[in-house]
Amino acid sequence: MSDDQGRAQPPGNPIALSNPCLTSWLAHLESLHPSGQGGIELGLERVLRVKEVLAQDLQYPVITVGGTNGKGSTCAYLEAMYSFAGYRVGCYTSPHLLEYNERVRIGRLPVDDRGLCEAFARVEAARQEAGGIALTYFEFGTLAAIEVFRSRQVEVLILEVGLGGRLDAVNAYDADCAVITSIALDHTNWLGPTRESIAFEKAGIFRAGKPAICADPDPPQSLLEQARAIGADLHVLGRDFGYFGDQLQWTFWGRGGLRRGGLAKPALRGAGQLGNASAALNAIELLRKRLPISMQGIRRGLIELDLPGRCQVIPGRPVIVLDVAHNPQAVAGLAAKLGEMAFCARTIAVVGMLGDKDIAGSLAPLAGKVDLWLLADLKVPRGASSEVLSAAVNDSGLGGCVECFASPGGAFVRSAELAGENDRIVVFGSFYTVAAVMRSMQNGR
């Protein structure tokens, strides 16, 4: 049920789940909001009320990571470096690709179904005790993730912001160090139409007297003013920390003449990865007194990790590139990476996107670089039709031929049929699109 503004309301007959399977619990989470998993309703009041009932007072360092692009990569670097240094690391990210468990990890491994179900049960009991508050899918999941981490006694916690920052459920937990990776136009319906408005929302994760890191070398004034107003210790890429190097190795630098040299290039691909890795390293240096870490842990964390769906190259012929890029800045990064790859005869793009994205702006960086567009319907809340994508390709004069499909899986099957050994298949546009293609690849079709 919902009121006229689309806000979730307590269900009339809340279900009583004693020990359901994970699938049943996830269905329950979706039932609490009229838009299901895709429901967005910013604000901290609901989460804070249930958090209070659960008495979620965290006793270990928390690193919160926000930003338009690069959040997942930065979380992965932090998670890997602390894990290889011997810490018991809890990491909460979203969305997932194939299984919900991917969102909640301890020691770089997804938490088992039982751990999630037990946490969901505790959150549900607290939700009812708080008056049957109708949490969104993300809010419920965030509270449950914290319950998992508390029960498993983690030593450091990494939390990825879902949307924005100031009013995101993750911001119910105070950050000992807050990281903002980049600031670009995305989610403008919720965060405002300019970089200034978006930066203000993202800067809401900063805390007074605590380190605040911005890996965007050109931060909007609103972010600088927010950090100054609350007394956060702001570190900006290129001003307070940064990197230099060549194609073989690089050096991180920070305040006070700090240098960490001889670092191997990060395992993750993409033009912005040195910036993301530098932000993670700066956070580690700023928390070193509480969380001492060896250079061995740092070095292993930079190179011994992978993050599916982030400029992920599947070797073979034809080569397949999977990237969840879904806004202009991210697709520009993908286009740059494709330009660095070896020659290919043709590029075939498999694309599915959400309708509230800047579709034309997101496809523009690939103008003249795609020979065949295989465009797919996304049959999820807010999903765009292939006809909408086709109009964007044709109206913008991006070049290449266009075919439309009912699903990303169907579009990918067609790409495999058409691609020659020297061609390249690039899958992008949404987590949903990449996930659907990954499932298709697993099924061998």
Side-chain angles (χ1 to χ4, degrees):
M1 294 168 49
S2 65
D3 63 15
D4 292 341
Q5 284 73 45
R7 298 187 179 91
Q9 297 296 311
N13 296 298
I15 62 176
L17 298 172
S18 56
N19 188 27
C21 66
L22 182 58
T23 301
S24 297
W25 269 116
L26 295 178
H28 177 54
L29 267 61
E30 293 193 9
S31 74
L32 297 179
H33 194 281
S35 296
Q37 184 180 149
I40 297 174
E41 187 177 341
L42 298 179
L44 297 180
E45 181 182 357
R46 297 174 302 278
V47 171
L48 289 173
R49 286 171 63 186
V50 180
K51 175 177 177 269
E52 182 179 5
V53 174
L54 290 165
Q56 290 183 338
D57 184 19
L58 305 185
Q59 301 299 319
Y60 32 79
V62 176
I63 304 173
T64 302
V65 181
T68 304
N69 298 302
K71 294 181 294 183
S73 298
T74 303
C75 287
Y77 289 126
L78 288 165
E79 180 185 24
M81 286 190 278
Y82 278 123
S83 294
F84 284 123
Y87 289 100
R88 188 170 175 79
V89 182
C91 188
Y92 175 59
T93 61
S94 63
H96 60 277
L97 280 171
L98 300 179
E99 302 291 341
Y100 185 92
N101 310 60
E102 298 167 23
R103 298 184 180 218
V104 186
R105 300 187 299 278
I106 296 178
R108 303 179 68 205
L109 296 175
V111 171
D112 55 85
D113 287 7
R114 179 177 178 179
L116 285 171
C117 290
E118 290 174 349
F120 286 146
R122 291 195 293 274
V123 173
E124 176 64 13
R127 184 183 78 84
Q128 295 294 347
E129 185 178 337
I133 294 174
L135 300 168
T136 67
Y137 186 94
F138 183 74
E139 290 169 344
F140 202 119
T142 300
L143 289 158
I146 300 299
E147 284 299 292
V148 170
F149 298 137
R150 292 172 72 202
S151 68
R152 304 291 177 94
Q153 300 178 322
V154 301
E155 296 172 297
V156 56
L157 183 54
I158 300 161
L159 302 177
E160 180 186 355
V161 171
L163 194 158
R166 182 175 65 93
L167 299 177
D168 185 83
V170 163
N171 202 35
Y173 306 93
D174 290 329
D176 293 281
C177 180
V179 181
I180 293 176
T181 56
S182 65
I183 302 160
L185 299 182
D186 198 8
H187 299 297
T188 54
N189 290 345
W190 292 277
L191 305 180
T194 67
R195 288 184 77 237
E196 289 288 341
S197 63
I198 291 170
F200 173 76
E201 293 296 333
K202 295 188 182 301
I205 66 175
F206 294 165
R207 293 296 188 268
K210 298 294 178 66
I213 297 170
C214 179
D216 191 315
D218 182 27
Q221 191 64 30
S222 59
L223 182 143
L224 303 176
E225 292 175 353
Q226 176 66 8
R228 188 181 306 115
I230 68 170
D233 178 22
L234 181 63
H235 294 239
V236 177
L237 178 65
R239 185 189 77 182
D240 304 287
F241 73 97
Y243 59 90
F244 59 86
D246 55 30
Q247 293 300 313
L248 298 178
Q249 62 180 19
W250 63 290
T251 296
F252 166 81
W253 61 267
R255 285 182 186 171
L258 176 65
R259 293 288 188 275
R260 302 292 184 200
L263 302 173
K265 284 296 180 74
L268 301 182
R269 303 168 183 266
Q273 289 305 330
L274 281 179
N276 297 333
S278 294
L281 266 174
N282 202 45
I284 283 173
E285 294 296 340
L286 293 170
L287 293 175
R288 184 176 284 275
K289 288 184 178 180
R290 293 185 66 183
L291 297 167
I293 185 170
S294 66
M295 283 305 298
Q296 181 184 10
I298 289 173
R299 294 181 191 281
R300 289 189 65 186
L302 286 170
I303 62 176
E304 294 185 40
L305 80 164
D306 62 90
L307 193 60
R310 273 70 165 193
C311 215
Q312 179 184 3
V313 177
I314 310 297
R317 305 188 71 172
V319 67
I320 301 170
V321 181
L322 306 177
D323 200 309
V324 296
H326 54 266
N327 56 52
Q329 183 187 52
V331 179
L334 170 61
K337 184 59 187 176
L338 294 176
E340 297 170 1
M341 294 176 66
F343 167 80
C344 69
R346 293 189 306 164
T347 294
I348 301 173
V350 175
V351 187
M353 296 189 69
L354 296 179
D356 54 10
K357 299 298 181 181
D358 178 3
I359 293 175
S362 297
L363 300 181
L366 290 171
K369 300 176 182 179
V370 173
D371 299 284
L372 176 60
W373 299 87
L374 304 183
L375 309 174
D377 297 340
L378 273 192
K379 293 175 179 160
V380 298
R382 298 157 42 215
S385 68
S386 56
E387 287 77 12
V388 168
L389 301 180
S390 177
V393 171
N394 291 323
D395 293 348
S396 300
L398 302 184
C401 300
V402 173
E403 295 183 24
C404 293
F405 297 84
S407 70
F412 179 72
V413 169
R414 177 63 170 162
S415 73
E417 293 171 349
L418 294 174
E421 286 189 350
N422 297 319
D423 292 338
R424 174 173 59 195
I425 300 171
V426 182
V427 181
F428 74 97
S430 171
F431 277 83
Y432 293 112
T433 304
V434 172
V437 169
M438 290 175 73
R439 291 191 182 95
S440 182
M441 293 172 66
Q442 287 180 348
N443 295 331
R445 55 183 177 80

